[in-house]
Amino acid sequence: MIEAPAAEAPSGTPVAVYACPTSPAFRDSALPGVADFVPRHGWAPVETLIDIAELASPTGERPERAKALSLVTLGKTRDVVKPSHSMLWHGAEERAEIIDWQERTGAWVSSPWNTVDVAPRLGQLRPARTVL
């Protein structure tokens, strides 16, 4: 998985904000950190997409996740920002899906609460690391 630190993603980068909390109450506590993270770094949120679903629920029960990924695939955004990586993928199969999606689209993902690695395609000197 390729992550990009905010400091190295250009200001004005269009992003999709995605969250998959288990309840509306958790949504209200998780999203403020992302809502602060995105504008603090000058990114332009295109859309905020939220699924309310149990952890590890099938991707078919998380339709907003598919929309977030398609915004990148269609070229409308460059990144998906989420509170934590587990909200975008859970388990080896979903992780492999995200890595494949990144390889096809050149996309990156970021989160205010996870460590970051830089994709070489962003022109950075440090190589990206695949997280399995």
Side-chain angles (χ1 to χ4, degrees):
M1 195 230 12
I2 310 236
E3 300 177 24
E8 297 177 29
S11 181
T13 298
V15 300
V17 175
Y18 174 73
C20 184
T22 57
S23 71
F26 183 55
R27 174 194 61 211
D28 295 341
S29 66
L31 283 178
V34 174
D36 176 61
F37 182 74
V38 170
R40 184 170 18 118
H41 299 295
W43 296 342
V46 172
E47 194 165 345
T48 299
L49 303 144
I50 300 169
D51 286 315
I52 304 294
E54 292 299 318
L55 184 64
S57 60
T59 57
E61 294 177 15
R62 296 180 279 152
E64 297 301 299
R65 176 187 182 272
K67 289 179 187 176
L69 298 180
S70 72
L71 286 172
V72 174
T73 303
L74 296 172
K76 295 181 179 183
T77 65
R78 182 79 179 103
D79 176 29
V80 175
V81 180
K82 68 267 173 261
S84 72
H85 294 322
S86 64
M87 289 188 177
L88 191 60
W89 69 82
H90 184 79
E93 186 175 312
E94 286 184 16
R95 195 171 295 178
E97 174 198 6
I98 293 298
I99 290 170
D100 179 64
W101 167 78
Q102 288 183 292
E103 289 172 354
R104 286 184 288 107
T105 64
W108 41 275
V109 297
S110 56
S111 169
W113 294 286
N114 291 104
T115 59
V116 293
D117 294 296
V118 181
R121 59 183 154 257
L122 292 178
Q124 305 304 316
L125 299 175
R126 294 177 291 173
R129 180 181 66 158
T130 300
V131 179
L132 299 175

